[in-house]
Amino acid sequence: MRGEDPQWATYGLANRPFFLGHNGDFASLAQSVKCVGALKKLIREHSPAIVHSHLWQADHVAAAAAWHSGVPHVVSIHDTRPWLASRKPKAALRRALYRTLLRASGARFTACAEAAKTYACAHLGIPPSAVTVIRNGIDPSWLTGNPGAPASPDDKKVPILGTAGLLQPGKGYEILLNACAELDGRKIPVRLRIAGGGSLESHYRRVASELGIGDRVEFAGCVRDMKAFYDNLDIFVLPSFSEGLPLTILEAMARKRPVVASNVA
């Protein structure tokens, strides 16, 4: 990521993490090259047991840095990004670069779901034997306690919908906002709560206002007590274009909330 994560001290890490200045923009070649150099230096200085990359952009950087280092490279596959199956020339070039770098680093893979493994193997030419499925899971304490009925802020019961995740492209929040506006147009009032922050928060606020539902959409930002967040919903919604086995769905189900989600992975 670009700059230091201001929340890192709250994550329970034993040591201070290094931040290498990459913001996840695959198109920024200069940024990627600089990040590869910084990661190579860290590998030489600290001789880690493994280099583990998570998210597609990070895989490119980690593979280039781990190349010829002698350190095993492990990649986590956790979604089904559309570019993997796209026939556009840019996507084809990206797939070729990805395959070349990952083969060079001798990467092994884990996938959070069988569907994510099948998708990646089909579109990247990864042999199934190189991918181990380790399904996402949650702390069993999420299953304890019986959630009560959500507390509506109105005298009349208004269904409360909720979602959680980074406010960025690919999560489908604009579709969710339009769906809420359509319900409103059909005289079916709902409230929407969105947990999480991201680069598109101001955009989504503007969209909600333009759709005439700004007063019924709450942007909750970083939520620490996610159990309480789920317990105060009637329905959890995940409109993403790309997922594997989302923790948010597991958490919502553990808190006995019905889930409406897009049909991916």
Side-chain angles (χ1 to χ4, degrees):
M1 67 182 297
R2 182 179 292 167
E4 182 174 298
D5 180 354
Q7 302 293 329
W8 78 263
T10 68
Y11 299 154
L13 303 175
N15 299 297
R16 184 184 183 88
F18 295 92
F19 296 92
L20 303 183
H22 199 291
N23 70 353
D25 182 3
F26 175 75
S28 178
L29 181 60
Q31 185 186 90
S32 296
V33 170
K34 183 178 179 181
C35 191
V36 167
L39 185 54
K40 270 183 173 292
K41 182 180 178 184
L42 283 177
I43 292 172
R44 287 195 303 268
E45 291 175 352
H46 295 274
S47 300
I50 64 169
V51 172
H52 171 225
S53 57
H54 179 76
L55 296 178
W56 302 101
Q57 292 92 336
D59 297 343
H60 293 81
V61 171
W67 197 353
H68 296 309
S69 70
V71 179
H73 179 202
V74 179
V75 174
S76 289
I77 300 170
H78 75 111
D79 60 25
T80 52
R81 298 295 171 102
W83 67 268
L84 292 172
S86 172
R87 295 183 178 180
K88 293 180 179 179
K90 185 176 179 181
L93 176 62
R94 184 174 179 181
R95 282 195 300 275
L97 175 61
Y98 188 91
R99 285 194 295 265
T100 300
L101 287 172
L102 272 291
R103 284 172 182 164
S105 73
R108 302 290 292 186
F109 302 82
T110 68
C112 68
E114 198 68 44
K117 171 182 175 176
T118 300
Y119 188 87
C121 290
H123 297 296
L124 288 173
I126 301 171
S129 59
V131 186
T132 301
V133 175
I134 304 175
R135 292 179 178 84
N136 282 339
I138 58 173
D139 188 324
S141 67
W142 280 79
L143 299 166
T144 62
N146 191 21
S152 174
D154 301 323
D155 293 330
K156 270 177 138 181
K157 179 63 178 170
V158 175
I160 301 173
L161 313 182
T163 190
L166 288 174
L167 304 183
Q168 62 182 23
K171 287 297 185 180
Y173 291 143
E174 196 152 340
I175 290 175
L176 178 55
L177 291 170
N178 276 277
C180 290
E182 184 172 335
L183 288 172
D184 188 65
R186 297 183 186 184
K187 308 300 182 186
I188 306 173
V190 296
R191 291 183 177 275
L192 175 62
R193 292 176 177 165
I194 300 175
S199 59
L200 293 181
E201 180 173 340
S202 59
H203 169 73
Y204 291 137
R205 286 182 180 274
R206 183 169 63 254
V207 170
S209 178
E210 291 171 353
L211 290 170
I213 58 171
D215 60 334
R216 276 151 284 169
V217 179
E218 175 190 347
F219 291 88
C222 181
V223 175
R224 294 296 180 191
D225 188 354
M226 285 301 294
K227 273 190 183 181
F229 177 82
Y230 293 116
D231 289 354
N232 281 302
L233 304 179
D234 290 293
I235 300 171
F236 180 77
V237 186
L238 191 69
S240 293
F241 298 117
S242 169
E243 290 290 346
L245 183 60
L247 289 171
T248 53
I249 285 182
L250 299 182
E251 292 169 353
M253 292 173 68
R255 300 312 297 164
K256 302 182 181 180
R257 293 301 176 234
V259 174
V260 175
S262 46
N263 185 20
V264 293

